[in-house]
Amino acid sequence: IQSLCDRALVLKGGRLVAEGPPDEAAQLYLKSAGEQSAVPLADRTDRRGRGRTRIVRMDVHTEGHDHAPGLLIYGQTARIQCEVSHLMPDMACTFTILNHLTQRACRFTSRVTAPNDTIVDGKRFACEIPEMPLVPGRYYVTPGVFSGAELEDAIESAVMFDVQPGVIDGRPLVQEQTGVVTAPRHRWTIPRAPS
């Protein structure tokens, strides 16, 4: 928007809340996203979906660091959890991770299963991400719960978290990797320098 426009509008709930230079409008929009994630889920009115079941609790933390919600460490296992008011038939959950500019960084869905997934009793969906590949910065999670193909509840930027520096497979992040969203596990083959 900032590179293409000389004027921008900010809408909230379909209503105009600000207009002006694109950089000011973008800052207001991003500030609003951060403020919304601080509102308790029960009080959020910006939900979408039929509402026959609701998202009642969200939690994001690094495995083994339950005492530090909202803090993830690059290269360590991350857990994103979502509890619903009650289960429905053919229910699925999605987690969309947005970066600090609210651009989609990645998305996870429980609809597509794998042999190492676990089925448990309760009302909590949990997604485990081994070796969190997101580079340090601020991120938001937008959860969605579905019954069949119908959206039941979704909350934009429901929870905020920060990723701190770390190491993946013995390789720490370097300055050259900070202008991207992810820095996944990788391996190089490097030619030997002549002596």
Side-chain angles (χ1 to χ4, degrees):
I1 290 172
Q2 292 177 353
S3 64
L4 296 175
C5 304
D6 58 7
R7 196 169 160 76
L9 306 174
V10 179
L11 303 175
K12 185 174 184 178
R15 302 177 89 163
L16 180 68
V17 293
E19 79 178 270
D23 57 338
E24 291 175 17
Q27 288 304 317
L28 179 64
Y29 176 77
L30 296 173
K31 181 180 177 206
S32 174
E35 290 170 352
Q36 277 294 90
S37 68
V39 175
L41 292 183
D43 298 337
R44 295 282 297 261
T45 59
D46 59 333
R47 295 172 180 262
R48 295 178 291 119
R50 296 191 303 187
R52 296 184 305 167
T53 187
R54 309 274 282 186
I55 297 164
V56 296
R57 194 171 84 87
M58 287 280 308
D59 180 65
V60 179
H61 63 272
T62 297
E63 187 176 62
H65 297 274
D66 302 12
H67 61 281
L71 176 65
L72 300 182
I73 301 169
Y74 169 80
Q76 294 190 18
T77 300
R79 275 183 76 79
I80 304 172
Q81 301 177 120
C82 169
E83 187 174 327
V84 295
S85 57
H86 62 278
L87 293 179
M88 300 183 68
D90 193 26
M91 199 161 182
C93 179
T94 62
F95 295 133
T96 303
I97 298 181
L98 312 166
N99 69 5
H100 69 285
L101 298 174
T102 67
Q103 299 165 323
R104 290 180 178 189
C106 54
R107 186 172 191 196
F108 305 97
T109 178
S110 68
R111 182 74 67 201
V112 180
T113 60
N116 62 347
D117 290 345
T118 306
I119 307 297
V120 297
D121 292 327
K123 298 182 283 185
R124 184 178 298 168
F125 290 89
C127 181
E128 197 171 275
I129 304 134
E131 296 184 336
M132 170 54 77
L134 295 174
V135 299
R138 176 152 291 169
Y139 298 87
Y140 303 89
V141 180
T142 295
V145 289
F146 297 80
S147 176
E150 297 291 329
L151 178 65
E152 294 296 340
D153 195 20
I155 307 170
E156 198 70 35
S157 301
V159 67
M160 176 179 65
F161 66 90
D162 291 305
V163 175
Q164 298 296 315
V167 175
I168 286 185
D169 201 24
R171 186 186 310 272
L173 280 173
V174 293
Q175 186 64 33
E176 290 86 359
Q177 292 173 293
T178 57
V180 297
V181 176
T182 65
R185 172 192 283 260
H186 60 284
R187 181 177 18 206
W188 285 94
T189 299
I190 303 169
R192 191 178 322 279
S195 36

